[in-house]
Amino acid sequence: MASKKSQKKNQVWLFREGNAQLRDLLGGKGANLAEMTNIGLPVPPGFTITTEVCNDYIKGGKRLPADLMNEVKKALANVEKSMEKKLGDPTHPLLVSVRSGAKFSMPGMMDTILNLGLNDATAQSIIDATGNERFVWDAYRRLVMMFSDVVLGVEKEEFEKIFDHMKKRLGVKNDTEVDAENMKKLTQLFRDHTKKRLGREFPTDPMEQLQLAISSVFDSWDNERAKEYRRTEKISDDLGTAVNVQTMVFGNMGDDSGTGVAFTRNPSTGEKKLFGEYLMNAQGEDVVAGVRTPVDINELAKQSPEIYQQFEEACATLENHYREVQDIEFTIEKGHLYFLQCRSGKRTGPAAIKIAVDLVNEGLISKEEALLRVPPEQLEQCLHPRLKERPASRAVAKGMNAGPGAAGGHIVLDSATSVRRGKKGAGEKVILVRRQTNPDDLGGMLSSEGVLTSEGGRTSHAALVARQFGIPTICGCSEIAIDLKNRTVTTKSGTVLNEGDWITIDGTEGIVYTGQLRTEPPSITGEFKVFMDWADTFRRLKVRANADTPEQATEAITWGAQGIGLCRTEHMFLGDRLPKIQKVILADSDKSRQKALDELLPLQRGDFIGIFKAMGDRPVTIRLVDPPMHEFLIDIEQKTREEVMILRLTKPGSKVLAQKEKLLTKIESHHESNPMLGMRGCRLSIVFPQIVEMQVAAIIGAGCRVKKKGGNPHVEIMIPLVGVDKELSILRKQLDNVSKATMEAEKVNINYSFGTMIEVPRAALTAHEIAKEAAFFSFGTNDLTQLTYGISRDDAGTFLPIYIAKKIIPEDPTLSIDATGVGRLMKICVTEAREVNPKIKIGICGEHGGDPRSVVFCDSIGMDYVSCSPRRVPVARLAAAQAALGADERDK
Amino acid sequence: MASKKSQKKNQVWLFREGNAQLRDLLGGKGANLAEMTNIGLPVPPGFTITTEVCNDYIKGGKRLPADLMNEVKKALANVEKSMEKKLGDPTHPLLVSVRSGAKFSMPGMMDTILNLGLNDATAQSIIDATGNERFVWDAYRRLVMMFSDVVLGVEKEEFEKIFDHMKKRLGVKNDTEVDAENMKKLTQLFRDHTKKRLGREFPTDPMEQLQLAISSVFDSWDNERAKEYRRTEKISDDLGTAVNVQTMVFGNMGDDSGTGVAFTRNPSTGEKKLFGEYLMNAQGEDVVAGVRTPVDINELAKQSPEIYQQFEEACATLENHYREVQDIEFTIEKGHLYFLQCRSGKRTGPAAIKIAVDLVNEGLISKEEALLRVPPEQLEQCLHPRLKERPASRAVAKGMNAGPGAAGGHIVLDSATSVRRGKKGAGEKVILVRRQTNPDDLGGMLSSEGVLTSEGGRTSHAALVARQFGIPTICGCSEIAIDLKNRTVTTKSGTVLNEGDWITIDGTEGIVYTGQLRTEPPSITGEFKVFMDWADTFRRLKVRANADTPEQATEAITWGAQGIGLCRTEHMFLGDRLPKIQKVILADSDKSRQKALDELLPLQRGDFIGIFKAMGDRPVTIRLVDPPMHEFLIDIEQKTREEVMILRLTKPGSKVLAQKEKLLTKIESHHESNPMLGMRGCRLSIVFPQIVEMQVAAIIGAGCRVKKKGGNPHVEIMIPLVGVDKELSILRKQLDNVSKATMEAEKVNINYSFGTMIEVPRAALTAHEIAKEAAFFSFGTNDLTQLTYGISRDDAGTFLPIYIAKKIIPEDPTLSIDATGVGRLMKICVTEAREVNPKIKIGICGEHGGDPRSVVFCDSIGMDYVSCSPRRVPVARLAAAQAALGADERDK
């Protein structure tokens, strides 16, 4: 994270002084503006104030460094000289934009001011020069509104109300219908409103405007919206934002002017074709905000072939220069093309893979670079279910396919409801349906299964977020009308959907269906397969899956799992088998216990036969029963307690009451004050070996039967919660006898071994003892993390979120391995286990096994494999490849 | 524990081949018999079978090594030659004893066979040689009984019944009244009984007897009684016992014969004076079993001045040779004195100290040796309360003062009841009252506060156990009569006490009182003080106490505490303050919460003022509130739940019901699934800082006020449960502000610092980060052990005892630090904390701080202090001295 030392100590850099390598210092936008300037693209001149100034500003109690404005004035003079205009000059006034620009793009999160430098005098001068009075007053009223909102804190909505009121009075609908005279009036009304609200005049000194705007951009680094975005994206709060001050060019100077955004390739699909939109006679914010529906970029070829060709060539230059897809903002001012920004284009998972594979095929990048370019988390986006049925009768609307994948859920009409009912709240499946989304909707979007907007195009906020977070999304679906008052969505055909109704959206095709539709899992084919094959050739770590059923095992193989790292067996005691395990636990005699166990044996054996068949000769690690017994007794406890209460009233003193009371006491004897730290795992098996003996008989019996049918199962039996070597040696010996007896009875031998989970800190600390007894170790990092921190996930909800918010811990250690603490134990364990048992296989089966950063950590300490949920297998495969290619913690 | 390599590989050693250094191989008894032989004392010749043979025997499935009996025969031939007698020889028969002898004395735990070699032929031959027919048949019947009991498994009681029956028939009371003819008959009756019970003849081949006896002694190493003793005494099961085969000498050959036991100094008080008992015309078992009341050893000077002088000189020789008090067994056979055993004499704590100090003063040992000679645990025996009142009216009986100290409790008349009701059971205070005790009573004795026997002298089993375990004990109290049938104890004066009545015994004076008497704490004076002063000059570790009240603080200073290592503050919220802290926790508004806190502040300040006054300028470490809040709500939850139930029936729908239901919900919101891992310690303070802010204001306020009155408090504020450095830095900063504000308000500055407990594994693993923020660390090894093992002490009762029994763990890690696992974390922590903060003070305040082995461990990793309960302070001081003198884990 160490920011590169600046080559010069300046706080302010002219565009031509920088380059793309200086992202830490100049931010992404500033560095790219510098780079574009230097490779000869038409970029309006300007300068960048560094991120270091931002950090100084925030540390210094939000005060600009004393000498900053002098440096700004020097750089400005340079720009003014090249433009032959001056900021605030009444005859040749320069107008500038002031924009944020952090190292990592945070679209829409921070503030921007356009048209800065306008006041009555300079406005008149530009009117004189351009003869376009309406344009100038429009620009001026925009400045007043934007500046008042962003810098002075008077909300934009208040100005929009004034504008709406004027339009109503004039009897017009669109902004463009308001003439110059009224725009001038509007400017004055806006200035009056600001004065009324703040008790001071709107600042008309351009240098004062500039200074306030710079402070305001720095302030916006610290606003709540930006902070939440950084938390989600795991961007450090210490980076700061740069400020870019750039000569204004105008896309709204008439029909020979325009503005747009474009990607050099399709960011949804990865297709190699310009992708984007533009609007003639408009400013950039009109495109991004989705207020006017923009035109496909390919239309420009017809409308202005010359400019289109110039644009296309510049795009090719940029892609070749950066060897990466670019996301470009451009403006055409009176027939002149200007580039205002370029950056790596955000894309969906499928697009990321296609682009990476294509760039390798085009010879632009190596396979290694391709693998390092795709964030592993994005692969899950390639695993969105697809619709299995597409009934035309239930298709009610069509829009733009902005985020691929199918999703279904209850309609919610605002983000607050989505947060309350959706993933981040009650856990219902919801589809957020909005006219358009803005940065404040981020929480609501992340809490929903999918997003549907009635306005805005492929580059609207909703589409952008959809691509970045892989949310199935349909944009600009003008065939629906949203009525927020009556909380309904009405389709063109007249179908009225209420908030709460279920809809299914197909983000791949852009079609909205009513009700719930069946989906099917995706598969790894085409470029995805090519890409994953590359990953496999580079990675050192093996990848297994956690799977408890034959179905999960089969799915895991589809995603490329090389074995099962964790097959939990306690699930096999639930459902209609629950009464049987309850009989085992509550048996009054060894005989009745054995009878219940004898009933369970063939059922468990059946489970394992299914799994072994599915897995072929791949290793299958089966964990013996782990949870405290009380977990199996919750329903019977409730039932018995009620029965006892009723019997006490109805049949006091009866024999049946006495029996039930005795049963209740027996059940209650399994209560524990801290069940996580109690009688479970191998402790249970030491004291009460009958259950695991049955399980091992079932496992080995299943293995034998599959082998006799021509299979070749590879069985690894895992004894959980070991903290002392003798726990393992005693149980291993005991269970090995069961294995041998079972194989003898089945008259066939199979490949099996015993190992343990490392989930108790002491196990890691005494690995040099335990490893002598084990063929394999599997880190149970869920418990290991909880015990190392002394926290219980069930209870941590009261403080862990606060810890993360206060930055006491950088992130939830139950999600990504805490390398300093837990990771250190793991490292001790791996090193010392191998010293006494060089052949020991070491893996991880905690949920961290599917977290890319944790996978990189596992690789770094020399583990043999990771195991994760089936759907995370591709993620882990890529993360493992990146680890082998030297990816360290990403530079955030 | 590595047993020294034997200098020769023999399995059998003649006494003259061994020496006292070979305890590992020859056992304590064998090594000392060899040593005595070699320094020229009269020892009946014999040989020792090594402990290694015992281990081979047990490992080999209880089979004697193939070549053993050949070696035994060779050694036997050697003995036979020197005695000019032969085992089984019908003309000159040799009789031998076969005794166990482990490295550490386990009195009465293992088996002994006497008179081995007798059969009809040899018996007749000895009758011919001695002319003492009665003696021979008495010896023979004893052999049959002992051998049948110990070797063949026919219980001794069955033979006693036969004997009782005969005595009744003969109309006699004492064994001595039975004549030779009847003894001969009895021998036959015993043999018939054994035959009847086993279906085979009693073995009459002396070599067969010898071989069976040797096996049987080895078997007895593994019996339940011996195992329990070893568990209590922490003696390893791997040591094995040796077997000593020794020529028999007889104390029962007439009035010029006798047998006895003696200590070279008084083992109760340490006084330098021969101490012991003997019986003329008796065998050793008569003395130990307490069947006949023996005579004080000093009587021997009158009875046989010559032998007494010889004995006294031999005792002096032994003491000078061993430089240690000796416990001696001797026999006089027809005027010849023989030594049968010598060993270090077990003694009470007070005696141990006096003897150690005396031996230094006598120039026999150095101060260092003296300090290493006293087991630290024994010091607690010096801290037995003494009676504060001795009302003659309630004194009902007098016996021998066998174990010093006063103790009171309910009378229990057998060990089973003691175990059920006493310390190891229901936790009541009980006094075990028995005619005499035997090894089977050990559990009952350890479960009682004190022991009272009506028979047996100063060397009886009861007295021995009393000395070893420091149990206040009165022996041979012939003034009481025990009626087991009616469960009463009747005193000479006619007072009838029932089982369950309370008595108080004064083990220092030997007096029994009815009812409960007031006691007073002891103090450190005389030799105890001299000894503790020596300890203090050698130790490096400082010793503090855990004390929560001014009274405890004052007591701690009495025992030599150098500060308070842990002052828990949660106790200060209990009692009549409980409703106030409940108000804080359940407050609806900040205002009402603050009001409740404002009420608590002066109360807490008062607590601290008392403690600071008591402690002077010694450091006082105060831990801020630690437990989960729900612990304060248990009673109010119960009450509110009942109120809600009643209101639901009586006033459904009422406002008061709604209020109570709301309160109940609020209380229940503090429930946690694993409270040990939940919202407590610093987590609570981070989320909810008001309580600790109040506490710090109270602590600093108290310090200021004490300082203004001329005190100089030294305050260390400890923040519990830190696992992440930022928890500490955030709280420290926040609380430092409170401290400063308080000092400003009080207008005086005091000496204070902030530190943390290391009780979460992650804290130890990241000590290099946390140490930067802390002035001190204190290991909370209770939680650290629980988290490192992943066990909760509250729940471990279901498996930990089984783990210890199965030797999965050598001992309970919550009692003595687990050096391999938990200790390793501690070492990492100390080392790395000092690297970043060389001045950091590091101590321990878990219960391990008073455990001698843990203290030695703390010294070994370079900690600064230990802290323990006030009464353990002398123990810790001595353990610290021993650590400094190089005591390592004791060789057990």
Side-chain angles (χ1 to χ4, degrees), chain B residues 340-405:
Chain B
L340 299 181
Q341 176 165 328
C342 81
R343 58 187 178 193
S344 290
K346 295 215 165 150
R347 62 208 83 170
T348 62
I353 288 168
K354 178 166 169 47
I355 290 167
V357 172
D358 286 351
L359 289 179
V360 171
N361 292 337
E362 292 163 24
L364 277 178
I365 61 172
S366 66
K367 286 177 188 172
E368 289 88 336
E369 285 175 290
L371 289 168
L372 288 167
R373 286 248 175 117
V374 179
E377 294 93 341
Q378 271 207 331
L379 296 193
E380 250 196 318
Q381 294 175 23
C382 305
L383 307 180
H384 277 297
R386 290 175 307 190
L387 286 182
K388 208 172 179 175
E389 48 180 353
R390 295 183 169 79
S393 62
R394 282 159 67 180
V396 289
K398 189 166 185 351
M400 274 180 273
N401 53 348

Side-chain angles (χ1 to χ4, degrees), chain B residues 603-717:
Chain B
L603 300 174
Q604 284 242 314
R605 190 168 50 214
D607 298 328
F608 296 124
I609 286 176
I611 290 170
F612 293 154
K613 276 186 183 163
M615 293 306 293
D617 60 0
R618 297 174 186 87
V620 177
T621 306
I622 298 167
R623 180 177 71 184
L624 301 178
V625 69
D626 183 50
M629 288 296 100
H630 184 254
E631 287 194 11
F632 295 113
L633 302 177
I634 292 164
D635 72 323
I636 197 176
E637 174 168 7
Q638 178 66 18
K639 191 172 140 253
T640 311
R641 177 161 291 129
E642 281 164 13
E643 286 171 348
V644 165
M645 277 174 63
I646 292 166
L647 286 168
R648 277 182 189 156
L649 293 171
T650 56
K651 296 187 181 173
S654 68
K655 201 175 151 191
V656 60
L657 171 59
Q659 279 171 346
K660 290 286 176 186
E661 279 177 331
K662 196 178 149 203
L663 177 62
L664 187 59
T665 307
K666 194 157 197 171
I667 293 169
E668 286 175 343
S669 74
H670 289 275
H671 280 192
E672 294 184 301
S673 357
N674 291 286
M676 211 187 122
L677 309 177
M679 176 79 147
R680 52 179 278 248
C682 66
R683 297 165 193 169
L684 188 71
S685 308
I686 293 264
V687 175
F688 183 65
Q690 294 93 326
I691 294 180
V692 286
E693 284 172 356
M694 179 279 286
Q695 288 196 305
V696 169
I699 293 166
I700 299 292
C704 292
R705 291 181 191 196
V706 171
K707 185 157 188 188
K708 282 189 275 190
K709 293 245 167 129
N712 184 24
H714 176 148
V715 184
E716 298 177 335
I717 301 174

Side-chain angles (χ1 to χ4, degrees), chain A residues 673-677 683 724 726-727 760 762 765 788-790 792 794-795 803 807-808 818 824 832, chain B residues 673-677 683 724 726-727 760 762 765 788-790 792 794-795 803 807-808 818 824 832:
Chain A
S673 359
N674 291 286
M676 212 187 121
L677 309 178
R683 298 165 192 169
V724 180
K726 283 188 183 155
E727 291 174 319
V760 163
R762 194 179 188 278
L765 291 163
T788 304
Y789 268 90
S792 134
D794 295 336
D795 303 313
Y803 270 42
K807 295 190 202 151
I808 292 172
D818 156 44
R824 182 169 185 191
E832 301 186 5
Chain B
S673 357
N674 291 286
M676 211 187 122
L677 309 177
R683 297 165 193 169
V724 180
K726 281 187 185 157
E727 289 174 321
V760 163
R762 194 179 189 279
L765 291 163
T788 304
Y789 268 89
S792 135
D794 296 336
D795 303 313
Y803 270 42
K807 294 187 203 150
I808 292 172
D818 156 44
R824 181 168 187 190
E832 301 185 4

Side-chain angles (χ1 to χ4, degrees), chain A residues 418-439:
Chain A
S418 173
V419 167
R420 200 179 67 245
R421 293 183 58 172
K423 278 183 225 172
K424 295 189 163 182
E428 285 181 84
K429 285 181 188 298
V430 299
I431 303 285
L432 180 63
V433 182
R434 299 282 286 158
R435 201 133 52 183
Q436 60 192 50
T437 63
N438 63 49

Side-chain angles (χ1 to χ4, degrees), chain A residues 410-466:
Chain A
H410 303 282
I411 294 172
V412 292
L413 295 179
D414 57 65
S415 285
T417 310
S418 173
V419 167
R420 200 179 67 245
R421 293 183 58 172
K423 278 183 225 172
K424 295 189 163 182
E428 285 181 84
K429 285 181 188 298
V430 299
I431 303 285
L432 180 63
V433 182
R434 299 282 286 158
R435 201 133 52 183
Q436 60 192 50
T437 63
N438 63 49
D440 292 333
D441 288 311
L442 186 63
M445 296 172 83
L446 293 175
S447 196
S448 67
E449 304 299 313
V451 174
L452 168 61
T453 67
S454 58
E455 295 174 6
R458 288 183 203 285
T459 54
S460 66
H461 176 264
L464 225 98
V465 171

